[in-house]
Amino acid sequence: MNANAEFDLIVYGASGYTGRLVAEHLAQRYGVGGEVKWAMAGRSAEKLAQVRDEIGAPKDTPLVVADAADPASVREMVRRAKAVVTTVGPYQLYGSDLVAACAEAGTDYLDLCGEPNWMRKMIDAHDATAKQTGARILFSCGFDSIPFELGVYFVQEAAKKTLGAPARHVKGRVRKIQGGLSGGTAASGKATMEALQKDPSQMAVMMSPFGLTPGFEGPAQPPGMSPEEDPDVGPVAPFMMAVINTKNVHRSNLLMGHAYGKDFVYDEMAMGGPGGPATFTDLGSIPGGGPKPGEGPTKAERESGFYDLLFIARADDGRQVRAAVKGDKDPGYGSTSKMLAETAIALVNAPDVPGGVWTPGAALQGRLVDRLSQNAGLTFEVEAA
């Protein structure tokens, strides 16, 4: 970790829609220059100052000018922070130089990435360097994939107590959800499809549940690509985010030394069958193709959003443990922005976590469950089976 840095966190992209929400959360919860020393960063000092005033942040909130098109400015920003929190996506278009700069400088990096093809490239390119410098690189620190990754972790911890061991099979089920995808998610999906058309070899990473576990291939996993009848919950249908969440869950298991076993099976679907919550599987089914980057719901819409996820850990003898993860804001913006900010704070406060490309749940485990429960509006509860 960049221990002598001027700031704990720099929010890069703070003048964009989601970055603004991250900065607003930090300003409202922590103020400026107190428990958490943070700054806002982006291409335009004028735009940053405007956003600072609009979100009610103090006038002395530090502003840092950095532009992805100017690598020197990015490297200078990285040197000033213990952790850089970036909302500037699609990351395969705007994130590669920033990851490289953080890995080389020993500065922590956190993003909202749901682009597994790019994440695998970054793992292959920078994991060894990050381990040497102490930089902790954390992708997918929002709705994809923290509630799912930590949901599996939480239900497995309960399974160890109740069943005596982690379950070999965990199901993730989206029980209820309200709130649309972010413009960044839509743009990332489009960028990923274009990248796959240019380089079809990346399709192997996209199609494999073990695309983010270099050197390890586990057992066959349920495809989750068509509606079916789940004996535990009733009708289920494909869930759009499963393509990234399943990969992060398996990487988390790998990073924790296969804490769930090398034969671990995880599948993720939406309850209710076709027409249930978030069962669309491609961006073409979103009206208008989804929001554009920088666009998003009103504050009232964010406040009225929520999600309710069920995790079922099944022992080989049929016994099961159930746990719920719930969020109090819309998943794509309100909840995601708080998760990203609080994960960064948790990481800065965890100097014992060694360098490397991590998943948030594997790096921080129960510490992150506690922090998100206290500061980000998430709840983790064991339910009656």
Side-chain angles (χ1 to χ4, degrees):
M1 189 166 67
N2 188 3
N4 298 318
E6 182 180 352
F7 302 110
D8 294 322
L9 317 176
I10 292 181
V11 181
Y12 179 50
S15 54
Y17 189 97
T18 306
R20 171 194 297 242
L21 294 176
V22 175
E24 187 173 29
H25 174 76
L26 290 168
Q28 291 178 351
R29 196 157 197 100
Y30 302 103
V32 170
E35 174 190 349
V36 181
K37 294 178 174 57
W38 63 281
M40 298 168 61
R43 287 179 293 182
S44 165
E46 183 180 359
K47 187 91 178 285
L48 289 168
Q50 179 185 339
V51 171
R52 175 200 65 200
D53 296 342
E54 288 173 353
I55 65 175
K59 289 287 187 186
D60 60 348
T61 303
L63 307 178
V64 176
V65 176
D67 187 343
D70 178 6
S73 71
V74 170
R75 288 193 296 270
E76 177 59 26
M77 173 182 69
V78 163
R79 283 194 289 269
R80 299 177 69 183
K82 290 182 181 176
V84 173
V85 173
T86 175
T87 61
V88 181
Y91 296 98
Q92 57 199 298
L93 302 182
Y94 305 115
S96 298
D97 289 342
L98 180 55
V99 173
C102 286
E104 290 165 11
T107 297
D108 297 338
Y109 167 100
L110 302 94
D111 70 17
L112 298 172
C113 189
E115 305 161 41
N117 55 318
W118 178 79
M119 292 159 61
R120 176 57 184 267
K121 284 186 173 181
M122 295 298 100
I123 292 167
D124 293 344
H126 302 298
D127 188 42
T129 300
K131 285 176 177 173
Q132 290 173 351
T133 64
R136 287 85 58 89
I137 311 296
L138 272 62
F139 304 124
S140 306
C141 298
F143 184 64
D144 51 336
S145 297
I146 281 179
F148 300 91
E149 189 198 348
L150 282 184
V152 174
Y153 170 81
F154 184 80
V155 80
Q156 290 285 46
E157 289 297 292
K160 286 195 284 189
K161 295 174 184 174
T162 304
L163 307 176
R168 195 170 61 85
H169 184 189
V170 171
K171 298 177 180 181
R173 297 292 181 257
V174 181
R175 195 153 47 184
K176 295 179 184 176
I177 190 168
Q178 181 167 309
L181 295 175
S182 73
T185 296
S188 292
K190 183 171 181 284
T192 296
M193 295 306 295
E194 290 173 353
L196 295 175
Q197 289 169 359
K198 290 178 184 174
D199 180 6
S201 69
Q202 296 183 37
M203 187 62 75
V205 170
M206 290 296 297
M207 297 304 293
S208 171
F210 300 97
L212 299 181
T213 60
F216 175 76
E217 189 80 18
Q221 305 285 311
M225 296 303 291
S226 58
E228 61 185 74
E229 187 72 20
D230 182 338
D232 292 316
V233 300
V236 293
F239 175 54
M240 182 180 183
M241 309 312 297
V243 68
I244 177 63
N245 294 334
T246 52
K247 292 174 176 58
N248 277 321
V249 166
H250 285 297
R251 179 162 179 79
S252 188
N253 183 36
L254 172 81
L255 291 169
M256 293 189 294
H258 294 287
Y260 313 145
K262 291 188 175 181
D263 57 351
F264 176 63
V265 173
Y266 174 67
D267 70 290
E268 192 174 286
M269 301 188 80
M271 288 168 57
T279 57
F280 46 80
T281 54
D282 62 60
L283 296 174
S285 63
I286 304 172
K292 304 296 184 289
E295 296 178 350
T298 64
K299 183 176 181 180
E301 289 169 336
R302 294 196 306 269
E303 297 285 333
S304 65
F306 63 88
Y307 50 91
D308 176 357
L309 313 175
L310 173 67
F311 296 88
I312 304 171
R314 292 184 58 89
D316 290 342
D317 61 9
R319 291 180 300 154
Q320 61 177 243
V321 174
R322 296 186 175 212
V325 178
K326 300 177 183 179
D328 69 345
K329 298 286 186 291
D330 77 297
Y333 299 97
S335 187
T336 277
S337 57
K338 293 191 293 182
M339 281 188 275
L340 178 58
E342 294 297 336
T343 302
I345 296 170
L347 187 64
V348 168
N349 290 337
D352 57 302
V353 177
V357 181
W358 288 91
T359 58
L364 297 164
Q365 301 180 25
R367 287 181 283 192
L368 188 53
V369 171
D370 292 344
R371 181 148 208 117
L372 297 180
S373 300
Q374 292 163 9
N375 300 294
L378 272 70
T379 59
F380 298 78
E381 295 179 346
V382 175
E383 294 188 344

